[in-house]
Amino acid sequence: MNFRFPFLNVVVLTVRSFHSTQRLSGKKSNEHLLNLLATMPKDKSHVARLQSERQAKKVTKVKYPPGTVTLQVLGSGVRGAPKSLYMFTDQSCYLFNCGEGSQRLAHEHRFKLSKVEHIFFTHTSWGNVGGLPGISLTIQDVGVPNITLHGAPGLGDLFVAASRFIILKDLQVNHIDATSPEATFEDAVMKMNYITIMPDETGKLPRSATNSPIEEEDVTNYYSREKGNPEDVPAAKRTRVENNGDVNPCSKAALAYICRLHPKQGMLMAEKCVEFGVPPGPLYGQLKAGQDITLPNGKTVLASDVRSPDDPGPVFVVVECPDESYLDNFVSEPQLRQLQRQNGATELDCPKVVVHFTPTELTRHPKYQEWMDGFDADVCHMMLGFTKDGEERRGFGSLAVHRIQHQLHLLDSEIFPHLPFDLRVDGEPENTEASELDCQTLTTYYLRPLKKLDLSLIPMLKPQEYVDESLSQEGVKPSLDALKLTLADAVPISNKVYPKLVFLGTGSCIPNKTRNTSAILVELEKDRFILMDCGEGTYGQIVRFFGHERAAQVLSNLVGVYISHLHADHHIGLIGLLQGRQHSIERTKSDAGPVMLIAPHQINFWLKTYHYSFERIRQYYTLVACANLFEGKTPDPALITNLNLKSIVTTHVRHCPNAFGVSLTTADGFKLTYSGDTMPCLSLIDIGRDSDLLIHESTMEDGMEVEAQKKTHCTTSQAIEVGRSMGAKFTLLTHFSQRYSKIPIFNEKSFASNTIGVAFDNMQISPNRLHHLPHFIPTLKLMFADHCEEMDNKTNKRKLRQEREEKQKQIQRSANS
């Protein structure tokens, strides 16, 4: 049966077997992909064109087994990083799990997401599915018409719950219930068996989902642009549904996948044919087909003499034992034990690789170790789990983040501190034995034609190379020397140390290599934090910036989270953050209670649906509606007490329904205003009067006012003018379009007052150092001269195009008159 939902083209399928024809995709660079997705929401007219091009390029595939098959780790699964396995062949690509942050790593390391049409999930936890909404938006915009999710029943509910802020009108999402006893998957590459594993306390898996215990449904379209007042948006529709008070038991199923590649005949070796005297012609075809031949001279040539050996089709297995409640059922699962030599498995049935998404400490359990020991000694065990307790391993997988941070560090070592080394550094000895087990991004295993592990592609940090790259740019060295002298004489605009800000995400719409989506961590006073917005990967950004130990302390002291509006790039990281904070509380043995979640009340539908369909999270937060903090209303005393604020005020801003700006004043009188996403907004100016600091979105460059208005965002000069109008002492710009991957385009005259700054990811700033930021601009433009030149060329082309279009309009008007 097919179920279709408004605003979302989702198809939930119950199947007994599934046979797939894979799809060839056109080539698209990641840079072009980011240009397509640079602003949000998008004009979707290009999607139909891309889908048409994709269909036109598609050819009828010969059903032959692929010549190359490779398993490659996308996300290593260390705490704060995604866990995801990428499988690619010369025909098609697949994902196993899709953790939060997967699309950012995929972009940096050039994984071809546009060729992925099947994603297999081992367990419906946020660590496995958190990156799915973002990746779905990405592949939709490059023309992929459909994608199939394989996993536990109810997986499609994720998109139903997110259908107001994950708009997939041009992508059909199919869901295969992999727990169905007769369900299998087969295509031209492999045949796969699904194995269901349940925790002991759940017992037999129910064959139908329970009623979703959601009390309200959010019917708001968050991508309708402002029409009149935001208050005119219809309220959420109330729906009475049974509440059983627990997570849907269907979502508890863990899945293991036994994958067998189809056999592939050996390749005909022309040099061997010549050596055996075989003349070109039909005899080549017979030998290639495996037939022995007799030459005219009576000599017999065996096909095995002139062909490479046949590949019978290796087996690999992907498993997850989520926690100890699954362990007994996992290690005793008959279909998995049949793959072990000690239980009668043949050479062909023994897997070459077992990929473990199991938490690392559980793999050390004696029962799990005994199960692993049952496989042949030469089996490669690839571990992608995280460690819940004890020492955390490295492996975030991004080089680009460290590259730009080392370069910005040249400007100011305190504002741009070095990040903890989460990857192996050039020159550091390699622990080969550990690397075979604890996988890093780009850990690779070749299943065909070779069968071997390859560690040579794993990213390795080269700090000196990054520094030399900047210092080699013309004019950078003398500019840095001049900057030091300038900063020594610069006059602070404040002597306060708090609030301290760490920018965790300064880009818009989707993450790129150097700018993640929106998130700002504010330390209101020593060890009292509030987070402003929470884009995908925010939890990982915190761990990467502070390191595991300090991050646990920070998250334990996180007392508030503010969500400005319900576009995905501002809140999709919230579930991962809540779970990461809870882990930190347990790790530090803190007595911290639920975090105060200040957000549009419509977020409740998304969070409650996830809570009842997948994992319990509602106990981790207390919701305070943004609308309850309007000027003139008395805020909840517990909120003011927990945050230790003098005041906090919100207002509607001009972006989408239920979009808010906020202004808060700390206990020592520092006034901070944050715009969220908005066009120039009078009500924001009103609540932000005489702010010490305004943090304002600056999505687009000057000259793009028409597009900015269409997208309900601001240009640089518009954002600066808002700060001047409210009398802000300093304006800090953020939320840049991803077309400006390093620095945005701006008029330097706008920074002449020395009260304007530009935010970067992993930038930490206190009020007493804000005055440094404007002085960085000249050196930044030299440091990233190539990027600036590229952006200037694009700007000039855009202006020429606009002039041509205007001339054409004038000609048309003259003709009509």
Side-chain angles (χ1 to χ4, degrees):
M1 182 178 294
N2 295 353
F3 301 94
R4 293 189 180 269
F5 303 91
F7 294 95
L8 174 65
N9 200 11
V10 175
V11 181
V12 182
L13 306 177
T14 302
V15 297
R16 293 183 180 276
S17 63
F18 184 77
H19 301 274
S20 167
T21 300
Q22 296 299 314
R23 191 179 304 272
L24 287 174
S25 66
K27 295 181 179 178
K28 284 196 171 291
S29 71
N30 286 317
E31 289 74 14
H32 179 56
L33 172 60
L34 277 176
N35 288 333
L36 287 173
L37 304 180
T39 55
M40 187 177 200
K42 295 295 296 179
D43 175 4
K44 297 294 184 180
S45 60
H46 72 281
V47 175
R49 174 178 57 81
L50 289 172
Q51 289 185 350
S52 177
E53 292 175 358
R54 185 183 180 94
Q55 186 65 26
K57 292 177 181 179
K58 182 183 175 182
V59 296
T60 303
K61 283 191 172 182
V62 178
K63 294 294 183 180
Y64 62 88
T68 60
V69 181
T70 304
L71 299 177
Q72 197 163 57
V73 174
L74 173 55
S76 65
V78 302
R79 187 167 296 283
K83 50 181 179 178
S84 183
L85 179 73
Y86 183 68
M87 173 183 175
F88 62 96
T89 76
D90 47 12
Q91 297 181 18
S92 50
C93 302
Y94 314 83
L95 276 179
F96 290 86
N97 292 329
C98 182
E100 188 179 342
S102 292
Q103 69 165 329
R104 190 181 190 194
L105 275 178
H107 164 62
E108 176 172 347
H109 296 295
R110 301 183 181 274
F111 285 77
K112 295 181 179 179
L113 295 180
S114 62
K115 296 185 71 174
V116 174
E117 292 187 351
H118 294 274
I119 306 180
F120 303 89
F121 294 94
T122 55
H123 186 238
T124 315
S125 61
W126 189 254
N128 291 344
V129 306
L132 187 56
I135 278 186
S136 299
L137 289 169
T138 298
I139 64 175
Q140 172 183 245
D141 269 32
V142 295
V144 176
N146 58 72
I147 190 168
T148 301
L149 313 179
H150 304 250
L155 186 58
D157 291 347
L158 185 74
F159 286 98
V160 178
S163 60
R164 298 298 160 184
F165 53 84
I166 302 293
I167 307 298
L168 300 179
K169 291 183 178 180
D170 301 297
L171 177 70
Q172 178 171 294
V173 181
N174 306 316
H175 173 218
I176 304 302
D177 179 2
T179 66
S180 177
E182 299 177 3
T184 61
F185 169 80
E186 185 171 4
D187 62 4
V189 174
M190 62 182 170
K191 182 174 182 179
M192 179 184 294
N193 291 332
Y194 309 130
I195 300 173
T196 303
I197 301 164
M198 297 297 295
D200 285 337
E201 70 268 17
T202 303
K204 186 178 180 181
L205 180 71
R207 296 311 316 155
S208 62
T210 59
N211 287 336
S212 178
I214 309 303
E215 299 175 356
E216 63 182 32
E217 177 185 354
D218 181 12
V219 295
T220 308
N221 179 4
Y222 291 103
Y223 294 100
S224 63
R225 292 312 177 184
E226 67 166 15
K227 298 177 181 178
N229 295 324
E231 292 88 336
D232 296 335
V233 178
K237 182 176 70 177
R238 304 296 297 183
T239 308
R240 293 186 62 188
V241 205
E242 178 186 358
N243 188 334
N244 63 4
D246 200 358
V247 176
N248 179 356
C250 299
S251 67
K252 295 184 178 180
L255 275 300
Y257 299 95
I258 300 176
C259 312
R260 183 185 296 273
L261 302 187
H262 291 308
K264 182 173 179 60
Q265 292 181 339
M267 300 293 293
L268 187 67
M269 297 179 287
E271 66 278 9
K272 286 290 185 180
C273 291
V274 172
E275 181 182 328
F276 280 89
V278 181
L283 295 179
Y284 271 41
Q286 295 177 35
L287 289 168
K288 185 177 180 180
Q291 302 174 13
D292 300 335
I293 63 169
T294 302
L295 299 177
N297 60 9
K299 180 181 178 181
T300 298
V301 178
L302 304 180
S304 59
D305 292 334
V306 294
R307 288 198 328 168
S308 61
D310 292 343
D311 184 342
V315 174
F316 71 94
V317 182
V318 180
V319 300
E320 178 175 3
C321 183
D323 58 54
E324 200 165 338
S325 67
Y326 293 78
L327 186 56
D328 288 339
N329 291 338
F330 176 86
V331 298
S332 62
E333 168 55 45
Q335 293 186 68
L336 292 176
R337 296 192 73 86
Q338 287 171 9
L339 300 174
Q340 298 173 328
R341 183 86 69 179
Q342 64 187 24
N343 294 317
T346 65
E347 176 68 25
L348 296 180
D349 291 332
C350 291
K352 298 297 180 183
V353 182
V354 179
V355 181
H356 303 257
F357 285 97
T358 302
T360 302
E361 76 279 1
L362 189 54
T363 64
R364 298 168 182 157
H365 193 286
K367 291 182 180 179
Y368 202 99
Q369 285 288 309
E370 182 183 4
W371 177 81
M372 289 178 60
D373 292 342
F375 293 98
D376 283 0
D378 61 351
V379 170
C380 178
H381 291 280
M382 299 175 67
M383 305 296 194
L384 278 76
F386 58 79
T387 301
K388 289 183 178 178
D389 300 299
E391 182 180 355
E392 300 281 2
R393 62 188 181 89
R394 300 183 296 181
F396 273 76
S398 174
L399 292 177
V401 169
H402 289 276
R403 179 188 300 273
I404 193 168
Q405 193 72 5
H406 274 83
Q407 294 167 344
L408 295 173
H409 183 82
L410 296 171
L411 301 172
D412 191 301
S413 60
E414 292 185 26
I415 294 175
F416 300 105
H418 284 146
L419 304 175
F421 287 159
D422 53 53
L423 295 169
R424 189 165 66 90
V425 181
D426 188 19
E428 180 181 335
E430 179 181 352
N431 188 334
T432 305
E433 182 179 356
S435 298
E436 291 179 359
L437 296 176
D438 296 331
C439 291
Q440 306 286 307
T441 295
L442 300 187
T443 297
T444 302
Y445 192 94
Y446 303 106
L447 285 165
R448 180 179 288 165
L450 303 174
K451 297 176 178 60
K452 69 171 186 176
L453 183 69
D454 183 1
L455 305 177
S456 65
L457 303 176
I458 295 174
M460 183 169 55
L461 296 176
K462 299 179 179 180
Q464 191 58 48
E465 178 183 302
Y466 311 149
V467 171
D468 293 344
E469 181 182 307
S470 285
L471 295 179
S472 66
Q473 291 288 333
E474 184 177 356
V476 169
K477 285 184 178 179
S479 182
L480 286 171
D481 292 337
L483 175 63
K484 291 179 181 179
L485 296 175
T486 300
L487 294 181
D489 296 331
V491 179
I493 63 172
S494 172
N495 60 0
K496 295 183 184 296
V497 176
Y498 294 99
K500 289 182 179 179
L501 289 79
V502 176
F503 284 83
L504 303 170
T506 57
S508 68
C509 186
I510 61 171
N512 70 13
K513 292 187 292 186
T514 54
R515 292 190 186 271
N516 202 46
T517 48
S518 296
I520 307 166
L521 183 69
V522 182
E523 189 174 8
L524 298 167
E525 56 190 46
K526 184 172 176 56
D527 288 333
R528 187 185 301 269
F529 297 87
I530 184 174
L531 182 70
M532 291 181 164
D533 279 329
C534 189
E536 180 179 345
T538 294
Y539 170 60
Q541 290 286 89
I542 292 174
V543 175
R544 193 203 316 265
F545 184 85
F546 292 103
H548 291 285
E549 184 174 347
R550 176 58 181 158
Q553 297 170 357
V554 168
L555 288 164
S556 297
N557 291 306
L558 181 69
V559 292
V561 176
Y562 168 78
I563 302 297
S564 63
H565 63 291
L566 296 187
H567 282 165
D569 58 323
H570 289 258
H571 78 92
I572 203 65
L574 180 57
I575 292 174
L577 180 91
L578 291 173
Q579 292 178 336
R581 178 178 182 268
Q582 184 59 30
H583 161 75
S584 299
I585 289 171
E586 295 169 0
R587 176 173 177 170
T588 60
K589 296 179 173 57
S590 168
D591 59 357
V595 71
M596 304 294 288
L597 175 60
I598 308 164
H601 74 85
Q602 292 84 0
I603 199 173
N604 221 18
F605 176 71
W606 159 245
L607 296 177
K608 289 171 74 174
T609 301
Y610 187 86
H611 173 90
Y612 287 113
S613 298
F614 303 109
E615 299 175 283
R616 298 181 68 88
I617 58 170
R618 288 187 66 194
Q619 68 276 22
Y620 299 153
Y621 67 91
T622 299
L623 180 62
V624 177
C626 285
N628 292 341
L629 298 176
F630 285 166
E631 203 161 22
K633 291 190 175 183
T634 302
D636 183 349
L639 177 66
I640 299 296
T641 300
N642 287 349
L643 297 178
N644 195 25
L645 296 175
K646 280 187 176 180
S647 66
I648 178 169
V649 180
T650 62
T651 185
H652 281 303
V653 292
R654 303 175 61 199
H655 183 57
C656 69
N658 305 312
F660 296 86
V662 65
S663 183
L664 56 86
T665 304
T666 65
D668 65 352
F670 188 94
K671 186 172 183 179
L672 168 64
T673 300
Y674 173 50
S675 69
D677 285 6
T678 183
M679 296 190 288
C681 180
L682 289 176
S683 63
L684 181 72
I685 293 172
D686 287 339
I687 69 168
R689 295 277 179 201
D690 300 321
S691 290
D692 293 285
L693 173 62
L694 167 67
I695 303 173
H696 203 288
E697 73 118 284
S698 177
T699 306
M700 299 179 188
E701 66 191 86
D702 292 345
M704 300 186 70
E705 287 78 12
V706 173
E707 185 172 358
Q709 183 176 13
K710 189 181 299 182
K711 308 296 185 183
T712 59
H713 286 295
C714 275
T715 64
T716 301
S717 290
Q718 288 173 341
I720 292 172
E721 183 56 36
V722 170
R724 288 174 180 159
S725 297
M726 71 168 56
K729 294 182 178 64
F730 198 93
T731 300
L732 191 45
L733 304 178
T734 187
H735 195 272
F736 303 107
S737 168
Q738 297 293 15
R739 58 170 64 90
Y740 317 118
S741 60
K742 291 183 179 176
I743 63 172
I745 296 175
F746 42 75
N747 185 343
E748 287 192 47
K749 293 180 181 179
S750 301
F751 291 75
S753 66
N754 291 333
T755 60
I756 313 296
V758 174
F760 290 84
D761 280 23
N762 301 306
M763 179 178 94
Q764 65 175 6
I765 191 73
S766 296
N768 62 357
R769 296 181 70 84
L770 285 170
H771 64 292
H772 285 202
L773 299 183
H775 300 292
F776 294 163
I777 301 301
T779 307
L780 283 168
K781 297 190 77 169
L782 292 172
M783 190 176 288
F784 302 119
D786 293 343
H787 172 78
C788 292
E789 182 179 358
E790 179 186 352
M791 291 297 100
D792 287 340
N793 289 337
K794 289 182 178 180
T795 298
N796 292 333
K797 289 180 181 179
R798 175 177 51 79
K799 289 180 178 179
L800 290 173
R801 185 178 65 252
Q802 290 174 341
E803 290 174 1
R804 288 195 301 268
E805 292 174 352
E806 184 59 32
K807 287 181 180 179
Q808 291 174 353
K809 290 179 182 179
Q810 292 176 357
I811 293 172
Q812 187 64 41
R813 284 195 294 266
S814 298
N816 292 338
S817 61

